[in-house]
Amino acid sequence: MLAGDEPVRFEVVAEDPASGARAGLLHTPHGIIETPVFMPVGTRGTVKTLSQQDLSELGAGIVLGNAYHLYLRPGTEIIAGHGGLHEFMSWPGAILTDSGGYQVFSLSGLTKIEEEGVRFQSHLDGSRHMFSPELVMEIEHQLGADIIMTFDECTPYPCELEYARQSMDRTLRWAARCHSSHESLVRGEGQRKQTLFGIVQGGVFPDLRRRCCEELTAMEFDGYALGGLGVGEPREQMLDMTRHSLPHLPPDRARYLMGVGLPHDLVESVEIGVDMFDCVIPTRNARNGTLFTPEGRLRIKNARFADDKGPLVEGCTCRACRFYHRSYIRHLFQANEFLGYHLATWHNVHFYLDLMRRMRRSIIDGRFGEWRDDFLGRYRGP
Amino acid sequence: MLAGDEPVRFEVVAEDPASGARAGLLHTPHGIIETPVFMPVGTRGTVKTLSQQDLSELGAGIVLGNAYHLYLRPGTEIIAGHGGLHEFMSWPGAILTDSGGYQVFSLSGLTKIEEEGVRFQSHLDGSRHMFSPELVMEIEHQLGADIIMTFDECTPYPCELEYARQSMDRTLRWAARCHSSHESLVRGEGQRKQTLFGIVQGGVFPDLRRRCCEELTAMEFDGYALGGLGVGEPREQMLDMTRHSLPHLPPDRARYLMGVGLPHDLVESVEIGVDMFDCVIPTRNARNGTLFTPEGRLRIKNARFADDKGPLVEGCTCRACRFYHRSYIRHLFQANEFLGYHLATWHNVHFYLDLMRRMRRSIIDGRFGEWRDDFLGRYRGP
């Protein structure tokens, strides 16, 4: 480590005495992020339908980018030429880049996993590429996000114990190579501007999860993520794996549950002790016309909203609810108009960010349990 | 007329001594519009990719809606149930609705023109409908726009003299029926909240255009529009028809050139004496990645912008140019991302509105000719 240089520092500011829930501050070179936090997903350098000005107005402090997507298009060099992803997309807040491990396996064709890394074909043009832990660290350094993720194999679901074990062991070896490569890149750059999080795999097997946590912890990452969840396993199993993993991670580091989930998933995961989330659900559902409310989901395309003069959610302070009627937003969806997708996304992202703010407040005020019961009592999933 | 009730009043505030150009004020129940004005097109109750907040920030004072589209979807009753289109789309500014004459002929299937009106099938679901001048006036009254347009037949191009004459004569008879129907609806409503503009047809035949102007003027409309232009005829013919028509319209009423056009078309038409414009070009071109600059058009998808760190237009004060780079906007187009369409639309609408503001300023300052030469000297069409 370069002395005195700690680009991202996590600080716990309040803990719920009755659960694992905690409120924290994630200090980054691009702002202090209040946790628990939801990070809107901007895979290709844009959170779909929202401008960076919109994200600021919504109070998003950190967004996600994806190394796999940005490496393929526009290409890492173009982004590096701007000085990094912050400058390329004109985003003053913090950024976390996912390594693309998940995307290499889920999107690309003819994937071949070797010890060295993964050979794959671009989902855009079929061109052939190879991602190794070292190359992914180089890409993520060029992108310049505040938080970067190790290159892992996202174990699919369902998956046999034996494959999950082999895959997790490889992910651990890759994590060690990422760690070493990251440190070497930091030394070459002469300054530490980015921080590296390790990713826990292990499928739905508690023993594998525990071992993965322990071995990653021994490598001393600056934060830890749970990967390979929210990939099709039952919801209870996802929560169980989270419960089994967190006790084996250092409590003074941020814990990030990748790709999860629905509002009640976030509440129950915060209760377990998760600090950070990302998920495409609020943005993707918005574009399908599925809006989140404190009572559950609302399908705005439903005919019963054709003449509904109320806001999406009574009392909601988001731009969509303050200015527009349900009937108008439904009309926009019926007509496939951009503004419908935009307003729905605005509402859902606001709903998620507001949910996190309320949870954080309740933890700090020592009434998380009460808040949680109230929320889950009203919210009808999925 | 109900005494003392003049919902829309046009006032000329400055005239260019060397041309027909003039600056005016269009007083409406939803604000005073400075002319010459460009009205962004919001056919289905939304200017594509922009929110009403965006339109306000851009300084748009008046937008277009379309009776044909809104009658078919969401349906006039739904909008009337909100109290009108302003309330339905939450737009505090002024609105002009086109009657849908153009759309009935260009979009719908199996059109049959009769003296009574036009039978057509919906382009959405094939359902059968009949638009008469009286029904269209009812629809436009239910929509409640500040300015409403007569129901006309938009004469196609090319078109024989004989058909153009027959079509224009029918448009004149329909205009008289619209006028009478509008007055009767106003009396029924007990107040005059909307104003009716007549539409000049006559193809590319100067004598027909002149006669249409004279006969519409005799009917005493509150404003006059030139229709059936910008439908495929050579640009010079469009300008010629405008030159032939305006002298036969009352100078104290607003003159609106429908569906035109490119930036240099607007400049040359203002020179002739046009006060109002609408066109899908700035918004549609934006979604194709064609941006307007003072030098002409710029195709942002072009590979030469892949690494271009400049704004779309140097010195442009629009949101897209103030915050984003060409390379980023190109990336958004390559990836088909919503934000690209939004930023390009923002820029083009700003370009058009700013063009009108500059023209108006130059007319008031008595230097329109100089400004015009400067603009046309730089701008390379089409």
Side-chain angles (χ1 to χ4, degrees):
Chain A
M1 252 212 190
L2 298 185
D5 216 342
E6 197 180 14
V8 169
R9 185 168 57 82
F10 182 66
E11 180 188 0
V12 175
V13 297
E15 289 178 288
D16 177 40
S19 76
R22 59 203 209 156
L25 293 173
L26 193 64
H27 302 261
T28 84
H30 292 86
I32 298 170
I33 314 301
E34 299 190 333
T35 67
V37 65
F38 177 79
M39 305 178 282
V41 178
T43 305
R44 305 191 282 197
T46 169
V47 176
K48 285 185 192 298
T49 85
L50 300 179
S51 71
Q52 278 64 291
Q53 286 69 41
D54 296 336
L55 289 167
S56 292
E57 193 174 328
L58 279 158
I62 178 168
V63 300
L64 242 71
N66 189 282
Y68 168 85
H69 284 280
L70 295 169
Y71 159 84
L72 290 179
R73 186 172 61 193
T76 340
E77 273 96 59
I78 283 179
I79 295 174
H82 280 263
L85 187 54
H86 291 91
E87 292 77 8
F88 179 67
M89 63 185 279
S90 306
W91 172 241
I95 301 177
L96 179 152
T97 45
D98 192 7
S99 59
Y102 178 73
Q103 284 69 28
V104 163
F105 293 98
S106 61
L107 288 180
S108 69
L110 298 175
T111 306
K112 184 149 181 282
I113 308 175
E114 300 166 8
E115 185 58 28
E116 173 59 18
V118 183
R119 296 185 188 282
F120 63 95
Q121 284 189 283
S122 161
H123 71 291
L124 297 175
D125 61 7
S127 56
R128 291 168 192 282
H129 303 267
M130 161 82 175
F131 265 15
S132 66
E134 290 76 15
L135 175 63
V136 170
M137 285 301 98
E138 269 179 51
I139 294 169
E140 293 197 84
H141 271 255
Q142 286 192 281
L143 296 176
D146 303 275
I147 300 173
I148 64 179
M149 305 301 297
T150 51
F151 185 60
D152 61 332
E153 180 188 346
C154 183
T155 317
Y157 178 86
C159 176
E160 296 298 316
L161 171 63
E162 186 48 28
Y163 186 80
R165 195 191 54 71
Q166 283 175 23
S167 163
M168 185 205 79
D169 279 332
R170 186 168 43 234
T171 284
L172 280 169
R173 292 190 296 274
W174 286 358
R177 285 165 58 190
C178 282
H179 195 289
S180 143
S181 171
H182 170 62
E183 290 302 320
S184 146
L185 288 163
V186 166
R187 279 191 301 275
E189 289 156 8
Q191 55 180 327
R192 185 180 293 273
K193 295 185 296 185
Q194 303 178 273
T195 204
L196 177 65
F197 279 23
I199 303 180
V200 177
Q201 291 288 348
V204 292
F205 306 101
D207 287 352
L208 292 186
R209 290 275 169 185
R210 194 199 61 234
R211 185 156 65 82
C212 197
C213 288
E214 289 168 353
E215 299 204 19
L216 285 175
T217 302
M219 295 181 207
E220 291 194 18
F221 284 95
D222 290 325
Y224 297 86
L226 304 184
L229 295 173
V231 293
E233 78 284 1
R235 179 168 181 273
E236 269 313 314
Q237 214 159 21
M238 179 273 287
L239 293 171
D240 269 352
M241 287 306 111
T242 306
R243 280 187 203 100
H244 276 106
S245 301
L246 296 198
H248 306 289
L249 293 172
D252 60 343
R253 298 293 155 98
R255 300 145 167 184
Y256 163 27
L257 178 52
M258 304 181 82
V260 172
L262 286 160
H264 54 317
D265 297 333
L266 270 54
V267 173
E268 295 198 53
S269 303
V270 164
E271 183 179 12
I272 299 169
V274 175
D275 307 301
M276 303 165 66
F277 299 89
D278 81 284
C279 192
V280 295
I281 283 179
T283 42
R284 182 176 291 165
N285 279 13
R287 298 194 306 282
N288 294 332
T290 303
L291 286 309
F292 288 98
T293 83
E295 283 76 38
R297 296 193 282 187
L298 176 156
R299 298 277 307 162
I300 194 63
K301 294 184 196 172
N302 196 302
R304 72 193 165 99
F305 300 124
D307 201 22
D308 190 328
K309 297 177 188 66
L312 292 176
V313 171
E314 202 65 58
C316 174
T317 60
C318 89
R319 179 187 277 194
C321 291
R322 273 187 297 140
F323 293 113
Y324 300 96
H325 309 283
R326 284 177 172 179
S327 58
Y328 179 63
I329 296 174
R330 178 179 187 271
H331 164 65
L332 296 174
F333 271 93
Q334 295 299 110
N336 295 315
E337 282 284 355
F338 290 90
L339 183 57
Y341 309 129
H342 170 74
L343 293 177
T345 303
W346 188 293
H347 173 79
N348 277 359
V349 170
H350 171 85
F351 185 88
Y352 267 62
L353 295 178
D354 198 51
L355 181 69
M356 305 314 283
R357 287 189 284 255
R358 285 169 198 261
M359 269 197 272
R360 186 171 197 275
R361 194 71 254 161
S362 79
I363 296 167
I364 290 172
D365 293 350
R367 48 176 182 79
F368 174 75
E370 189 189 326
W371 181 91
R372 170 201 169 282
D373 289 347
D374 183 56
F375 179 86
L376 295 178
R378 283 178 77 185
Y379 191 86
R380 292 284 163 265
Chain B
M1 252 216 191
L2 297 185
D5 215 344
E6 197 180 14
V8 169
R9 185 168 57 82
F10 182 65
E11 179 189 0
V12 175
V13 297
E15 289 178 289
D16 176 39
S19 76
R22 58 205 209 155
L25 293 173
L26 192 64
H27 301 262
T28 83
H30 291 86
I32 299 170
I33 313 300
E34 300 190 333
T35 67
V37 66
F38 178 80
M39 304 179 283
V41 177
T43 305
R44 305 191 282 197
T46 169
V47 176
K48 285 184 192 300
T49 84
L50 299 179
S51 71
Q52 277 65 290
Q53 285 69 41
D54 296 335
L55 289 166
S56 293
E57 193 174 328
L58 279 159
I62 178 168
V63 299
L64 241 71
N66 189 281
Y68 167 84
H69 284 279
L70 295 169
Y71 159 84
L72 291 179
R73 188 173 58 193
T76 340
E77 273 96 58
I78 283 178
I79 294 174
H82 281 263
L85 187 54
H86 291 91
E87 293 78 8
F88 179 67
M89 63 184 279
S90 306
W91 171 241
I95 301 178
L96 179 149
T97 44
D98 191 7
S99 58
Y102 178 75
Q103 284 68 28
V104 164
F105 294 98
S106 62
L107 287 180
S108 70
L110 297 174
T111 306
K112 184 149 182 282
I113 307 175
E114 299 166 8
E115 185 58 27
E116 173 59 17
V118 182
R119 295 185 190 282
F120 63 94
Q121 284 189 284
S122 161
H123 72 289
L124 297 175
D125 61 6
S127 56
R128 291 169 191 282
H129 303 269
M130 161 81 175
F131 264 15
S132 66
E134 291 76 14
L135 176 62
V136 170
M137 285 301 99
E138 270 179 51
I139 294 169
E140 292 197 84
H141 271 255
Q142 287 193 279
L143 297 177
D146 304 275
I147 301 173
I148 64 179
M149 305 300 298
T150 52
F151 185 61
D152 61 332
E153 182 188 346
C154 182
T155 316
Y157 179 86
C159 176
E160 295 297 318
L161 172 63
E162 185 49 29
Y163 186 80
R165 196 191 52 72
Q166 283 175 23
S167 163
M168 185 204 79
D169 280 333
R170 185 168 42 234
T171 283
L172 279 169
R173 292 190 295 275
W174 286 358
R177 286 165 58 190
C178 281
H179 194 289
S180 141
S181 171
H182 170 63
E183 289 302 321
S184 145
L185 287 164
V186 166
R187 279 191 301 275
E189 289 158 9
Q191 56 179 328
R192 184 180 293 273
K193 294 183 297 183
Q194 302 179 274
T195 204
L196 178 65
F197 279 22
I199 302 180
V200 177
Q201 290 290 348
V204 292
F205 305 103
D207 288 351
L208 292 185
R209 289 276 170 185
R210 194 199 61 233
R211 184 155 67 80
C212 198
C213 287
E214 289 168 352
E215 298 204 19
L216 285 175
T217 301
M219 293 181 207
E220 290 195 17
F221 284 95
D222 291 324
Y224 297 86
L226 305 184
L229 295 174
V231 294
E233 78 285 0
R235 181 167 179 274
E236 268 313 314
Q237 215 159 18
M238 178 274 286
L239 293 170
D240 269 352
M241 289 305 111
T242 305
R243 280 188 203 102
H244 275 106
S245 302
L246 295 198
H248 307 288
L249 293 172
D252 60 344
R253 297 294 155 98
R255 300 144 167 184
Y256 164 27
L257 178 53
M258 303 181 83
V260 172
L262 286 160
H264 54 317
D265 297 332
L266 270 54
V267 173
E268 296 198 52
S269 303
V270 163
E271 182 178 12
I272 299 168
V274 175
D275 306 302
M276 301 165 67
F277 299 89
D278 81 282
C279 191
V280 295
I281 283 179
T283 41
R284 182 176 291 165
N285 277 14
R287 299 194 305 283
N288 294 331
T290 303
L291 286 309
F292 288 99
T293 83
E295 283 76 37
R297 296 193 282 186
L298 176 155
R299 299 277 306 162
I300 194 63
K301 294 183 196 173
N302 196 301
R304 71 194 165 100
F305 300 123
D307 201 21
D308 190 329
K309 297 177 188 67
L312 292 175
V313 171
E314 201 65 56
C316 174
T317 59
C318 89
R319 180 186 275 195
C321 291
R322 272 186 298 139
F323 293 113
Y324 300 96
H325 309 284
R326 284 176 171 177
S327 58
Y328 179 63
I329 296 174
R330 177 178 187 271
H331 165 65
L332 295 173
F333 271 93
Q334 295 299 109
N336 295 315
E337 281 286 354
F338 290 90
L339 183 57
Y341 309 130
H342 170 73
L343 293 177
T345 303
W346 188 294
H347 173 79
N348 277 358
V349 170
H350 171 85
F351 185 88
Y352 268 61
L353 296 177
D354 198 52
L355 181 70
M356 305 314 284
R357 287 188 285 256
R358 285 169 198 259
M359 268 196 273
R360 185 171 198 276
R361 194 70 254 162
S362 78
I363 296 166
I364 290 172
D365 292 349
R367 48 176 181 81
F368 175 75
E370 187 189 327
W371 182 91
R372 171 200 169 284
D373 289 347
D374 183 54
F375 180 86
L376 295 179
R378 281 178 79 186
Y379 190 86
R380 292 284 163 267

